[in-house]
Amino acid sequence: METILSIHQLSKRYGRIQAVNQLSMEVIKGQVFGILGPNGSGKTTTLGMVLDLIRPDSGSFTWFGEEPSKESRKRIGAVIETPNFFPYLSARRNLEIVAKIKDFDYSDIDRVLHTTGLHDRRNDKFKTFSFGMKQRLALASALLNKPDILILDEPTNGLDPQGIAQIRRLILQVAREGITIILASHLLDEVQKICTHVAVLSKGNLLFSGAVNEVLAVSDCIELASSDNEILKAAIEEHPAFKSVTESDGILLAVFSEEVRPGTISEYLNQRKITLSHLVERKRTLEQHFLELLKDTQP
Amino acid sequence: MKLLTIELKKILPYKTFWIVIGLYFLFLALGIIMAEYIVNAMVDDVNNRLPIPLPHAVLFNFPDIWQNLTFFASIRFVLIFPAIIVIILITNEFTNKTVRQNIVNGMSRSEFILSKLQVVLMLALVISGILMIVMLILGLVHSDSQSLSMIFTRFSFVIGFFIQMLTYLCYAFFIAFILRNTGLAIALFTLYTIIIEPVIYFFLRAPFMWENKVYTYLPVNAVIRIVEYPSIPALKKLMNFQLQEEVSLLSCSIPMIYAVVMIAIVYLTFNRRDL
């Protein structure tokens, strides 16, 4: 397991606002790593710091196991916030400048222009592009010569549904090629659709991180009903993983502190001679889960 | 060379660059063409009232041409154009946010500063070079004597002009990096050069008369004074000009000290600030 990016206790303060607070995390080769959090949670500041745009107040980070340098940045492809290019230069010339800075020759420019669907417009000036095309050119520049890691900050922000679909398709395509990706987003379903791992940020603090299917796809709620809900309730409360139970419209909603399968619950209740008339595993949506995670951090 | 190649890729297709540099040479050419005419009109005007007429001014013969043309090319209103180019080229990187992209793509901050300094050096060299060629051709056309020693007398004015250009463009480089905003930087720089400093100069000069030379150390004044007077005998008599035979090393060193300090400040701040 090769560590691509390792962040250690990184902090940045803007006046009274602690933008990033003692953040530590690791991105391993091959991961599609989502940084999830609402606006102002410190995603962009974190990416800015690891890309040498923003000076951290304290903490450190390494790229590819080495001290960060301009050479390590040449192995990174990054799309940060808005696409930044010279308005009066053509798409191709803009990419030539990027290639020159990264010490690449121009041989890969046509490929990335084809990949992003901009080859027909390669000689047109950047300022004539639509926002979606600008964003794709940013992606094209990030993909030059197949970087070791691709960093995307809100890559679908401000795009129409068609543009969003295009960009997501491109990202998945890149991920399949085995390129490690860091994706910052405030959109849950974007992270869920694309990422393998996720770190959730709120107000500069890392709430937790881990594999997406472990962290976000939890099912710990079960709906139950029987002929006598009082007895059922008492039985549920005795379950070792019991957390809480609420009743509405004759149906009990039981929440457990760990994952409980409907089958095992059914068996557990059968042993107590309770026959269920209703048993549904209710997956909490990501949205609910995400909001609950954020709620825990409110004062 | 890599950094300069990148800069040329940014600059050469840029229309505004060619427009401003075109304006500079246009104003310069107009100034040079009109200078001889205006000076001689003044001489004629005075001669009407003088018993012994002053000789007509000849601007374009060797070795006077070096001093005369570099003098006209370095008056405040003309000098400002190349400075505006430098300001635009640097502040563009901030307004287009391409500076961020350059750093992210693997340029170090020091390299970014260095690339802009190379642009400054290149512009100073090219402009001085073009002016030198123009002077050489004009001089050869207008001079009877074309001995090499005659031609290269007072060649130090060409070197002096290069130092003027280089240091003044370093000032522009400084203001662009500090303010980062095209309009603001151009406005402030022009205002300072053309109005603020002459006003300070006036108030410093007035109470102390000519003995106190503090005003000669003001940054832009120090640049202008490298080529302080043209070499026109008639004007010397008319306007009490002093004779300046050569460019002095001392007069070059003052703006160079300013420029070095400014570059140092840019290095220190740019390496610390967030982009």
Side-chain angles (χ1 to χ4, degrees):
Chain A
M1 289 227 297
E2 191 188 329
T3 305
I4 301 283
L5 170 65
S6 173
I7 295 177
H8 183 68
Q9 301 276 302
L10 211 55
S11 294
K12 177 73 180 181
R13 174 180 280 278
Y14 292 115
R16 287 174 52 226
I17 294 155
Q18 187 72 44
V20 175
N21 187 21
Q22 306 260 309
L23 179 67
S24 297
M25 61 186 200
E26 286 211 337
V27 179
I28 308 295
K29 190 177 163 105
Q31 287 181 344
V32 179
F33 193 96
I35 300 178
L36 183 61
N39 293 330
S41 57
K43 304 184 296 286
T44 301
T45 307
T46 303
L47 293 182
M49 285 192 283
V50 297
L51 290 171
D52 195 36
L53 294 174
I54 297 170
R55 296 294 191 209
D57 295 333
S58 61
S60 63
F61 58 92
T62 58
W63 279 110
F64 314 108
E66 295 164 10
E67 286 298 302
S69 69
K70 60 173 181 160
E71 295 309 324
S72 56
R73 288 202 300 283
K74 285 175 186 169
R75 298 169 63 184
I76 304 167
V79 178
I80 36 167
E81 288 181 319
T82 51
N84 306 325
F85 293 100
F86 289 93
Y88 56 86
L89 292 181
S90 69
R92 212 197 132 79
R93 281 183 183 276
N94 269 305
L95 292 186
E96 284 176 8
I97 289 175
V98 175
K100 200 87 198 163
I101 291 173
K102 292 187 170 230
D103 296 318
F104 300 154
D105 59 22
Y106 301 157
S107 58
D108 201 37
I109 291 178
D110 279 321
R111 181 188 67 87
V112 295
L113 282 170
H114 275 299
T115 310
T116 50
L118 289 169
H119 197 259
D120 292 341
R121 295 289 302 271
R122 66 188 179 281
N123 293 323
D124 291 347
K125 285 181 179 155
F126 177 68
K127 65 180 170 199
T128 67
F129 282 14
S130 70
F131 186 74
M133 293 166 73
K134 287 178 177 175
Q135 198 73 328
R136 276 185 280 146
L137 184 63
L139 197 55
S141 91
L143 290 174
L144 265 182
N145 286 45
K146 302 205 173 163
D148 291 330
I149 175 164
L150 182 64
I151 295 181
L152 303 161
D153 186 7
E154 303 277 5
T156 57
N157 224 5
L159 294 177
D160 57 15
Q162 197 196 350
I164 291 174
Q166 274 176 334
I167 293 278
R168 285 192 186 156
R169 209 164 39 237
L170 278 168
I171 296 170
L172 287 171
Q173 194 182 319
V174 171
R176 270 196 300 276
E177 290 172 23
I179 294 175
T180 311
I181 297 176
I182 297 179
L183 171 83
S185 178
H186 67 283
L187 301 169
L188 270 159
D189 78 321
E190 188 161 274
V191 169
Q192 190 197 17
K193 274 178 187 154
I194 297 173
C195 298
T196 60
H197 291 74
V198 66
V200 180
L201 293 188
S202 170
K203 293 180 177 167
N205 291 294
L206 179 68
L207 296 188
F208 59 81
S209 65
V212 165
N213 48 12
E214 285 170 20
V215 171
L216 296 176
V218 281
S219 93
D220 46 11
C221 291
I222 292 178
E223 284 180 13
L224 305 144
S226 74
S227 48
D228 190 338
N229 276 350
E230 285 308 308
I231 296 171
L232 175 61
K233 203 169 180 177
I236 293 290
E237 279 166 1
E238 283 165 20
H239 190 278
F242 167 79
K243 202 171 168 192
S244 71
V245 63
T246 48
E247 186 173 359
S248 65
D249 296 337
I251 289 174
L252 297 179
L253 181 68
V255 180
F256 298 93
S257 56
E258 62 188 55
E259 192 176 351
V260 176
R261 309 231 120 255
T264 60
I265 271 289
S266 168
E267 210 169 289
Y268 167 84
L269 292 168
N270 271 334
Q271 284 167 4
R272 279 148 204 264
K273 306 277 184 282
I274 298 168
T275 313
L276 292 169
S277 59
H278 177 90
L279 173 66
V280 174
E281 180 184 25
R282 218 172 77 184
K283 285 194 185 257
R284 282 195 293 177
T285 65
L286 279 174
E287 216 96 20
Q288 283 174 328
H289 194 62
F290 183 51
L291 290 173
E292 265 169 47
L293 284 168
L294 293 180
K295 203 162 61 195
D296 290 344
T297 63
Q298 305 289 331
Chain B
M1 276 323 271
K2 176 190 154 193
L3 293 178
L4 195 60
T5 318
I6 293 170
E7 287 308 304
L8 287 176
K9 276 186 156 306
K10 295 175 184 173
I11 296 170
L12 292 182
Y14 188 35
K15 251 186 223 144
T16 312
F17 168 78
W18 293 107
I19 291 172
V20 181
I21 204 123
L23 278 176
Y24 170 70
F25 281 109
L26 186 75
F27 276 106
L28 196 56
L30 280 177
I32 290 167
I33 292 165
M34 282 162 57
E36 198 171 50
Y37 175 80
I38 292 172
V39 170
N40 282 331
M42 285 164 69
V43 171
D44 285 338
D45 181 50
V46 178
N47 280 351
N48 291 336
R49 285 172 272 134
L50 283 180
I52 311 157
L54 289 168
H56 264 192
V58 186
L59 267 58
F60 299 143
N61 59 342
F62 288 125
D64 293 336
I65 185 170
W66 300 122
Q67 189 173 355
N68 288 333
L69 259 63
T70 51
F71 173 81
F72 288 117
S74 62
I75 55 179
R76 289 168 197 261
F77 292 96
V78 183
L79 207 53
I80 197 96
F81 284 94
I84 286 174
I85 294 176
V86 167
I87 291 175
I88 291 175
L89 290 179
I90 293 171
T91 52
N92 263 357
E93 299 270 8
F94 290 101
T95 47
N96 294 332
K97 291 191 179 172
T98 40
V99 52
R100 293 168 57 107
Q101 205 65 50
N102 286 346
I103 302 294
V104 165
N105 286 337
M107 218 187 234
S108 72
R109 293 182 183 221
S110 302
E111 276 178 335
F112 185 80
I113 295 172
L114 199 62
S115 70
K116 296 304 172 198
L117 281 176
Q118 288 182 5
V119 171
V120 163
L121 181 67
M122 183 195 66
L123 267 178
L125 273 174
V126 168
I127 291 174
S128 316
I130 291 177
L131 195 70
M132 189 185 81
I133 293 167
V134 169
M135 289 189 288
L136 203 59
I137 294 170
L138 274 178
L140 286 174
V141 171
H142 283 85
S143 303
D144 305 328
S145 155
Q146 291 182 355
S147 72
L148 271 185
S149 66
M150 189 60 143
I151 290 173
F152 286 104
T153 309
R154 295 201 216 169
F155 189 74
S156 68
F157 282 96
V158 180
I159 312 288
F161 177 74
F162 169 70
I163 302 288
Q164 283 186 310
M165 204 41 105
L166 186 66
T167 50
Y168 192 62
L169 294 187
C170 282
Y171 297 178
F173 157 93
F174 171 74
I175 208 85
F177 262 97
I178 297 300
L179 294 180
R180 299 182 173 197
N181 176 301
T182 313
L184 193 64
I186 291 178
L188 229 115
F189 196 76
T190 311
L191 206 68
Y192 180 81
T193 298
I194 291 175
I195 297 171
I196 298 179
E197 210 189 75
V199 169
I200 299 175
Y201 174 95
F202 177 80
F203 281 111
L204 281 178
R205 196 184 67 174
F208 305 109
M209 295 310 290
W210 287 91
E211 282 98 62
N212 191 309
K213 292 259 182 181
V214 175
Y215 53 85
T216 58
Y217 296 107
L218 293 171
V220 179
N221 220 288
V223 169
I224 306 281
R225 273 169 190 275
I226 292 178
V227 184
E228 199 166 6
Y229 304 106
S231 172
I232 304 171
L235 278 191
K236 266 176 216 149
K237 295 214 176 80
L238 276 180
M239 303 175 95
N240 199 19
F241 275 5
Q242 286 151 35
L243 209 66
Q244 185 184 7
E245 287 290 347
E246 295 291 340
V247 167
S248 81
L249 211 59
L250 179 72
S251 70
C252 288
S253 64
I254 298 166
M256 280 172 94
I257 290 168
Y258 274 118
V260 168
V261 170
M262 287 178 186
I263 292 168
I265 292 172
V266 167
Y267 257 95
L268 288 176
T269 54
F270 187 69
N271 271 310
R272 279 183 199 160
R273 272 166 86 169
D274 296 338
L275 295 175

